[in-house]
Amino acid sequence: TILDAETWHIQGGLRIQTLGPFRSWPAGADQPLSAQQWGSQLGRRIMAYLLTEGYTGRGGITREKLLQEFWGRGNAGGSLRVILHRLRSSVRCPAAILFEGDSYRFNWDLPGIRFDREQLDAFHRKGMALATEGRRDEAREELERAEALFRGDYLEGFDEPWASQARRTLRSSRRAILEKLVELCTGLERPDAAAFYLDTLSKVRT
């Protein structure tokens, strides 16, 4: 679900930022969770993992895979349950993480959720479609909304392979957005904007 900031504030849904430092605003909160409020750094990393690995197919991650990823060969099933219970309490949303069959997954159907990666993809798709239709000014507006969501690299500070892979994917998306913005702004005779986006593009790592 895509909500603007004002609508989200009124409805008080869960807000998640992954483009830059990983942050979460609990339902109804004006400030993101502090390090202490997450309950544990491990819980925070598990949340990021579920959001990353389950994003494309909206699928779940098996309990065994989670245990292997975060505990290796150790048997930490009880710890996993405790951490996820605390995590749900921290974000003030008991339904944020679901257990179905033998898998855990983030609940993508939460009402009022604001998730920056989902918003990015929606703005990106719409902007590119509008550009294809020749509606250049509308396309520029959508792609500028997408670019504005980048507050840094995806999940800054996470160095696990699953985060690095997603980070590369998001960098490619950003480059595509910026390239199209340069093209659109040039065609719309907005040279200052084109130069700005070209400069931004030059700083995006591959």
Side-chain angles (χ1 to χ4, degrees), residues 45-84:
R45 299 188 90 78
I46 290 173
M47 178 73 144
Y49 182 72
L50 291 174
L51 288 165
T52 301
E53 293 294 280
Y55 178 70
T56 302
R58 298 296 200 259
I61 310 298
T62 65
R63 177 177 176 274
E64 287 70 24
K65 188 174 181 179
L66 277 173
L67 293 174
Q68 180 65 35
E69 177 68 33
F70 293 97
W71 281 273
R73 297 182 179 179
N75 183 6
S79 297
L80 176 61
R81 287 191 295 273
V82 170
I83 286 171
L84 291 179

Coordinates of all heavy atoms in Angstrom, one line a residue, residues 45-84:
R45 N 18.3 -7.2 12.8 CA 18.9 -7.8 11.6 C 17.9 -8.8 11.0 O 17.8 -9.0 9.8 CB 20.2 -8.4 11.9 CG 21.2 -7.4 12.4 CD 22.6 -7.9 12.5 NE 23.4 -7.7 11.3 CZ 24.0 -6.6 10.9 NH1 23.8 -5.5 11.7 NH2 24.6 -6.5 9.8
I46 N 17.2 -9.6 11.8 CA 16.3 -10.5 11.3 C 15.1 -9.8 10.6 O 14.7 -10.3 9.5 CB 15.7 -11.4 12.5 CG1 16.8 -12.3 13.0 CG2 14.5 -12.2 12.0 CD1 16.5 -13.1 14.2
M47 N 14.7 -8.7 11.1 CA 13.7 -7.9 10.4 C 14.1 -7.5 9.1 O 13.4 -7.6 8.1 CB 13.3 -6.7 11.3 CG 12.2 -5.8 10.7 SD 10.6 -6.5 10.7 CE 9.6 -5.0 11.0
A48 N 15.4 -7.0 9.0 CA 15.9 -6.6 7.7 C 16.0 -7.7 6.7 O 15.8 -7.6 5.5 CB 17.3 -5.9 7.9
Y49 N 16.4 -8.9 7.3 CA 16.5 -10.1 6.4 C 15.2 -10.5 5.9 O 15.1 -10.8 4.7 CB 17.1 -11.2 7.3 CG 17.4 -12.5 6.6 CD1 18.4 -12.6 5.6 CD2 16.6 -13.6 6.9 CE1 18.6 -13.9 5.0 CE2 16.8 -14.8 6.2 CZ 17.8 -14.9 5.3 OH 18.0 -16.1 4.7
L50 N 14.1 -10.5 6.7 CA 12.8 -10.9 6.2 C 12.3 -10.0 5.2 O 11.7 -10.4 4.2 CB 11.8 -11.0 7.4 CG 12.0 -12.1 8.4 CD1 11.1 -11.9 9.6 CD2 11.8 -13.5 7.8
L51 N 12.6 -8.7 5.4 CA 12.1 -7.7 4.4 C 12.9 -7.8 3.1 O 12.3 -7.6 2.0 CB 12.4 -6.3 4.9 CG 11.5 -5.8 6.1 CD1 12.1 -4.6 6.8 CD2 10.1 -5.5 5.5
T52 N 14.1 -8.2 3.1 CA 15.0 -8.3 1.9 C 14.7 -9.6 1.2 O 14.4 -9.6 0.0 CB 16.5 -8.2 2.3 OG1 16.7 -7.0 3.0 CG2 17.3 -8.3 1.1
E53 N 14.8 -10.7 1.9 CA 14.7 -12.0 1.2 C 13.2 -12.3 0.8 O 13.0 -13.0 -0.2 CB 15.2 -13.1 2.1 CG 16.7 -13.0 2.4 CD 17.5 -13.3 1.2 OE1 17.6 -14.5 0.8 OE2 18.0 -12.3 0.5
G54 N 12.3 -11.7 1.5 CA 10.9 -12.0 1.2 C 10.2 -11.0 0.3 O 9.0 -11.1 -0.1
Y55 N 11.0 -10.0 -0.2 CA 10.4 -8.9 -0.9 C 9.8 -9.2 -2.2 O 8.6 -9.0 -2.5 CB 11.4 -7.7 -1.0 CG 10.8 -6.5 -1.8 CD1 9.8 -5.7 -1.2 CD2 11.2 -6.2 -3.1 CE1 9.3 -4.7 -1.9 CE2 10.6 -5.2 -3.8 CZ 9.7 -4.4 -3.2 OH 9.1 -3.3 -3.9
T56 N 10.6 -9.8 -3.1 CA 10.2 -10.1 -4.5 C 8.9 -11.0 -4.6 O 7.9 -10.6 -5.2 CB 11.3 -10.6 -5.3 OG1 12.4 -9.7 -5.2 CG2 10.9 -10.8 -6.7
G57 N 9.0 -12.2 -4.0 CA 7.9 -13.1 -4.1 C 6.9 -13.1 -2.9 O 6.0 -13.8 -2.9
R58 N 7.2 -12.1 -2.0 CA 6.3 -12.0 -0.8 C 6.2 -13.4 0.0 O 5.3 -13.6 0.7 CB 4.9 -11.6 -1.2 CG 4.8 -10.2 -1.8 CD 5.3 -9.1 -0.8 NE 4.9 -7.8 -1.2 CZ 5.6 -6.9 -1.8 NH1 6.9 -7.2 -2.1 NH2 5.2 -5.7 -2.0
G59 N 7.3 -14.2 -0.2 CA 7.2 -15.5 0.4 C 7.9 -15.5 1.8 O 8.4 -14.5 2.3
G60 N 7.9 -16.7 2.4 CA 8.4 -16.8 3.8 C 9.8 -17.4 3.8 O 10.3 -17.9 2.8
I61 N 10.4 -17.4 4.9 CA 11.7 -17.9 5.1 C 11.6 -19.1 6.2 O 11.0 -18.9 7.2 CB 12.7 -16.9 5.7 CG1 12.7 -15.6 4.9 CG2 14.1 -17.5 5.8 CD1 13.1 -15.8 3.4
T62 N 12.0 -20.3 5.8 CA 11.8 -21.4 6.7 C 12.6 -21.1 8.1 O 13.6 -20.4 8.1 CB 12.3 -22.7 6.1 OG1 13.8 -22.6 6.0 CG2 11.7 -23.0 4.8
R63 N 12.0 -21.7 9.1 CA 12.6 -21.6 10.4 C 14.1 -22.1 10.4 O 15.0 -21.5 11.0 CB 11.8 -22.4 11.4 CG 12.3 -22.5 12.8 CD 11.3 -23.3 13.7 NE 11.8 -23.4 15.0 CZ 12.6 -24.4 15.4 NH1 13.0 -25.3 14.5 NH2 13.0 -24.5 16.7
E64 N 14.3 -23.2 9.7 CA 15.7 -23.8 9.6 C 16.6 -22.8 8.9 O 17.8 -22.7 9.3 CB 15.6 -25.1 8.8 CG 15.0 -26.3 9.6 CD 13.5 -26.2 9.8 OE1 12.9 -25.5 9.0 OE2 13.0 -26.7 10.8
K65 N 16.2 -22.2 7.9 CA 17.0 -21.2 7.2 C 17.4 -20.0 8.1 O 18.5 -19.6 8.1 CB 16.4 -20.7 5.9 CG 17.3 -19.9 5.0 CD 16.6 -19.6 3.7 CE 17.6 -18.7 2.8 NZ 16.9 -18.4 1.5
L66 N 16.4 -19.5 8.8 CA 16.7 -18.4 9.7 C 17.7 -18.9 10.8 O 18.6 -18.1 11.1 CB 15.4 -18.0 10.4 CG 14.5 -17.0 9.7 CD1 13.2 -16.8 10.4 CD2 15.2 -15.7 9.5
L67 N 17.5 -20.1 11.4 CA 18.4 -20.5 12.4 C 19.8 -20.7 11.8 O 20.8 -20.3 12.5 CB 17.9 -21.9 13.0 CG 16.6 -21.8 13.8 CD1 16.2 -23.2 14.2 CD2 16.8 -20.9 15.0
Q68 N 19.9 -21.2 10.6 CA 21.2 -21.4 10.0 C 21.9 -20.0 9.7 O 23.1 -19.9 9.9 CB 21.1 -22.2 8.7 CG 22.4 -22.4 7.9 CD 23.3 -23.3 8.7 OE1 22.9 -24.2 9.4 NE2 24.6 -23.1 8.6
E69 N 21.1 -19.1 9.2 CA 21.7 -17.8 8.9 C 22.2 -17.0 10.1 O 23.2 -16.4 10.1 CB 20.6 -16.9 8.2 CG 21.0 -15.5 7.8 CD 22.1 -15.4 6.7 OE1 22.1 -16.3 5.9 OE2 22.9 -14.5 6.8
F70 N 21.5 -17.1 11.2 CA 21.8 -16.2 12.4 C 22.4 -17.0 13.6 O 23.0 -16.4 14.4 CB 20.6 -15.5 12.8 CG 20.1 -14.4 11.8 CD1 19.1 -14.7 10.9 CD2 20.8 -13.2 11.7 CE1 18.7 -13.8 10.0 CE2 20.4 -12.3 10.8 CZ 19.3 -12.6 9.9
W71 N 22.3 -18.3 13.6 CA 22.9 -19.1 14.7 C 23.8 -20.2 14.2 O 24.4 -20.9 15.0 CB 21.8 -19.7 15.5 CG 21.2 -18.7 16.5 CD1 21.6 -18.4 17.7 CD2 20.0 -18.0 16.3 NE1 20.7 -17.5 18.3 CE2 19.7 -17.2 17.5 CE3 19.1 -17.9 15.2 CZ2 18.6 -16.4 17.6 CZ3 18.0 -17.0 15.3 CH2 17.8 -16.3 16.5
G72 N 24.0 -20.3 12.9 CA 24.8 -21.4 12.4 C 24.2 -22.7 12.7 O 23.1 -22.9 12.5
R73 N 25.0 -23.6 13.2 CA 24.5 -24.9 13.5 C 23.9 -25.1 14.9 O 23.4 -26.2 15.3 CB 25.7 -25.9 13.4 CG 26.2 -26.0 12.0 CD 27.3 -27.0 11.8 NE 27.9 -27.1 10.5 CZ 28.8 -27.9 10.1 NH1 29.4 -28.7 11.0 NH2 29.3 -27.9 8.9
G74 N 23.9 -24.0 15.7 CA 23.4 -24.1 17.0 C 21.9 -24.2 17.0 O 21.2 -23.7 16.1
N75 N 21.3 -24.8 18.0 CA 19.9 -24.9 18.2 C 19.4 -23.8 19.0 O 19.5 -23.7 20.2 CB 19.5 -26.3 18.9 CG 18.0 -26.5 18.9 OD1 17.3 -25.7 18.4 ND2 17.6 -27.5 19.6
A76 N 18.8 -22.8 18.3 CA 18.3 -21.6 19.0 C 16.9 -21.3 18.7 O 16.4 -20.2 18.6 CB 19.2 -20.4 18.6
G77 N 16.1 -22.4 18.5 CA 14.7 -22.2 18.2 C 13.9 -21.4 19.3 O 13.1 -20.5 19.0
G78 N 14.2 -21.6 20.6 CA 13.6 -20.8 21.6 C 14.0 -19.4 21.6 O 13.2 -18.5 21.8
S79 N 15.3 -19.1 21.3 CA 15.7 -17.7 21.2 C 15.1 -17.0 20.1 O 14.7 -15.8 20.2 CB 17.2 -17.7 21.0 OG 17.9 -18.3 22.1
L80 N 14.9 -17.7 18.9 CA 14.2 -17.1 17.8 C 12.8 -16.7 18.1 O 12.4 -15.5 17.8 CB 14.2 -18.1 16.6 CG 13.5 -17.6 15.3 CD1 14.1 -16.4 14.8 CD2 13.4 -18.8 14.3
R81 N 12.1 -17.5 18.8 CA 10.7 -17.2 19.2 C 10.7 -16.0 20.1 O 9.8 -15.1 20.0 CB 10.0 -18.4 19.8 CG 9.7 -19.5 18.9 CD 8.8 -20.5 19.5 NE 9.4 -21.2 20.6 CZ 10.2 -22.3 20.5 NH1 10.3 -22.8 19.3 NH2 10.7 -22.9 21.5
V82 N 11.6 -15.9 21.1 CA 11.6 -14.8 22.0 C 12.0 -13.5 21.3 O 11.4 -12.5 21.5 CB 12.7 -15.1 23.1 CG1 12.9 -13.8 24.0 CG2 12.2 -16.2 24.0
I83 N 13.0 -13.6 20.4 CA 13.4 -12.4 19.7 C 12.3 -11.8 18.8 O 12.0 -10.6 18.7 CB 14.7 -12.7 18.8 CG1 15.9 -12.8 19.8 CG2 14.9 -11.6 17.8 CD1 17.1 -13.3 19.1
L84 N 11.6 -12.7 18.1 CA 10.5 -12.3 17.2 C 9.3 -11.7 18.1 O 8.6 -10.8 17.6 CB 10.0 -13.4 16.3 CG 11.0 -13.8 15.3 CD1 10.5 -15.0 14.4 CD2 11.4 -12.7 14.4

